[in-house]
Amino acid sequence: MTRGRLPSPRPEVSSLPPSDHGAARLAEVRAYGQKAILDFSANVNPFGPSPRVYEALARTPIDRYPDRDTLLLREALAHHHGLTPAHILVGNGVSELILLVALTFIRPKDPCLIVEPTYGEYRRSVLLMGGHVRTWRAQAENRFRVCPQAITSLLQELPYRVVWLCHPNNPTGYPLSLQDLATWADAHPTTLFVVDEAYINFVPHLPSAISLQRPNVLILRSMTKDYALPGLRLGYAVGDPAIIQAMAQAQPPWSVNALAQAAGLAALQDPDHLHTTVRQTLTARDSLVTELRALGWRVLVASTPFFLMHVGHARRFRERLLAEGVLVRDGTSFGLPEYVRISTRRPQENSRLITILRRVYNDDH
Ligand SMILES: Cc1ncc(COP(=O)(O)O)c(C=O)c1O
């Protein structure tokens, strides 16, 4: 076949930054000659889903289309949050919902604000639509704390279409002040404040932006992390019915498959599993952090089961661990090339990491 000139993608697509994330990719695992990887790079409940999820999956027919309104799950989520199904849109993971926010609201050249360092898909979705990204960046010297006054001043400079916030934040684990958020949302009613609460269930008692009930605050919740369903892809947005309906208009039909819908319903029906496994994960994190510090590693503990660790050269460090069959998240794409992010796993798995990191520390010091 001769290859002449090809149809060209939109320039916004060609110039997108890469989509860097945790979780193992088969090609890389193969390249390192590994058969199995112990993955500390993805922030997923290490104790797995409720047994009820597997029972529900076995009962779910796949020879018919799923309900494209995801009604049963929306009803269950509405009941869970004390809202109505009209306040909820279910998506193929928060990843799809981030893209839907952009597709629905961002016009070319629209200014959008991102509080960094944070999850990279906010930036990619803005750029994909031809929007303009402005950032405010938390600094390591301040332990990555967000300065509310700085955000308040930035908000006064431009009529932002969308402001992206992550609560608690990935990768720093830092939570947002809801009082500040309420003030910003009230002062800028035509700006959509998107609050990604993908990890909120890992932080007991952390208040959710859902409680603010502001029409221009949209909350995104992942069910892939706390309920341990990353292979099924599931998340939902909570917001004003007009915002939710607009996003639903832009969503591809049947994007939430039948297995994901059934798994989400079953997971919600087993809150004890969630609470027990989150408690176990946080206990495991505390032991892991204590041991890492005892070895001499500089760890920045946050509210979440994942945390940043200072390693000097994150890319090389990650590769070195990959050669040992262990994966951590390189912080370079977050603009943190000296840090890796480590997600707590089960105690025995954490012990294996400690054994490797003891050797690495001793080799380097
Ligand atoms: C902050 C944040 N939001 C969203 C996602 C994507 O979540 P999902 O698996 O629901 O698409 C991630 C995944 O790493 C994340 O870290």
Side-chain angles (χ1 to χ4, degrees):
M1 195 171 67
T2 53
R3 285 166 60 91
R5 284 183 60 193
L6 291 172
S8 57
R10 291 194 294 125
E12 289 84 354
V13 174
S14 323
S15 58
L16 273 187
S19 178
D20 274 334
H21 296 289
R25 290 174 109 165
L26 183 57
E28 193 181 33
V29 174
R30 273 191 194 152
Y32 276 80
Q34 298 291 344
K35 288 205 175 65
I37 285 285
L38 193 48
D39 186 1
F40 291 86
S41 74
N43 303 320
V44 175
N45 185 334
F47 293 94
S50 158
R52 292 196 198 183
V53 166
Y54 291 109
E55 290 158 21
L57 292 177
R59 282 195 308 268
T60 304
I62 55 166
D63 59 349
R64 64 180 83 143
Y65 276 89
D67 176 25
R68 58 184 290 192
D69 304 318
T70 61
L71 186 59
L72 288 179
L73 185 52
R74 280 172 46 238
E75 285 173 346
L77 289 166
H79 180 71
H80 181 74
H81 289 294
L83 296 166
T84 73
H87 289 92
I88 290 167
L89 177 67
V90 179
N92 193 269
V94 165
S95 307
E96 185 194 23
L97 296 162
I98 291 170
L99 194 60
L100 284 180
V101 167
L103 277 173
T104 309
F105 292 101
I106 300 175
R107 287 89 163 158
K109 300 196 171 54
D110 268 353
C112 296
L113 182 63
I114 302 177
V115 178
E116 290 191 326
T118 195
Y119 189 54
E121 293 301 318
Y122 313 142
R123 175 184 285 271
R124 279 170 43 88
S125 71
V126 174
L127 297 176
L128 187 61
M129 301 310 296
H132 287 176
V133 172
R134 288 201 68 187
T135 57
W136 182 85
R137 203 171 164 82
Q139 301 299 328
E141 305 84 84
N142 299 328
R143 299 186 67 79
F144 296 109
R145 258 184 268 274
V146 172
C147 169
Q149 294 82 1
I151 311 285
T152 303
S153 315
L154 274 177
L155 286 173
Q156 283 157 2
E157 283 176 20
L158 283 174
Y160 290 104
R161 181 75 67 187
V162 176
V163 175
W164 300 90
L165 301 157
C166 191
H167 169 67
N169 187 38
N170 172 14
T172 61
Y174 198 79
L176 202 66
S177 146
L178 292 190
Q179 215 178 342
D180 292 327
L181 174 61
T183 309
W184 298 333
D186 291 343
H188 303 278
T190 59
T191 298
L192 182 64
F193 291 82
V194 178
V195 185
D196 184 345
E197 295 187 351
Y199 298 108
I200 198 160
N201 278 340
F202 285 111
V203 187
H205 313 303
L206 185 63
S208 161
I210 296 173
S211 64
L212 297 180
Q213 298 194 355
R214 296 300 200 275
N216 58 333
V217 175
L218 180 79
I219 294 90
L220 306 182
R221 288 282 184 101
S222 176
M223 294 184 79
T224 70
K225 292 143 189 324
D226 41 7
Y227 295 104
L229 309 170
L232 284 173
R233 319 298 309 124
L234 191 63
Y236 58 100
V238 183
D240 185 89
I243 303 274
I244 292 295
Q245 207 204 339
M247 286 171 60
Q249 280 273 90
Q251 187 175 35
W254 310 292
S255 69
V256 186
N257 70 69
L259 296 174
Q261 293 190 34
L265 267 173
L268 278 179
Q269 284 160 5
D270 194 357
D272 288 350
H273 178 82
L274 177 70
H275 296 140
T276 308
T277 53
V278 163
R279 235 191 356 259
Q280 288 171 324
T281 308
L282 293 174
T283 305
R285 178 205 58 192
D286 290 345
S287 309
L288 175 60
V289 166
T290 304
E291 290 195 65
L292 287 170
R293 285 186 169 149
L295 291 180
W297 293 103
R298 188 144 68 80
V299 176
L300 273 81
V301 192
S303 55
T304 45
F306 58 84
F307 50 85
L308 291 171
M309 186 167 91
H310 190 269
V311 294
H313 195 300
R315 188 176 51 75
R316 276 210 297 266
F317 183 89
R318 175 183 178 278
E319 285 170 2
R320 192 162 164 190
L321 263 55
L322 201 49
E324 308 251 10
V326 162
L327 188 63
V328 294
R329 172 74 158 91
D330 170 6
T332 305
S333 71
F334 292 112
L336 303 170
E338 297 184 353
Y339 292 86
V340 293
R341 190 194 63 203
I342 294 178
S343 285
T344 304
R345 293 194 61 98
R346 296 174 187 220
Q348 264 194 335
E349 298 164 328
N350 295 340
S351 298
R352 179 155 160 222
L353 179 69
I354 288 290
T355 305
I356 294 171
L357 290 185
R358 179 178 293 117
R359 186 159 17 92
V360 170
Y361 192 87
N362 290 340
D363 285 352
D364 288 359
H365 292 83

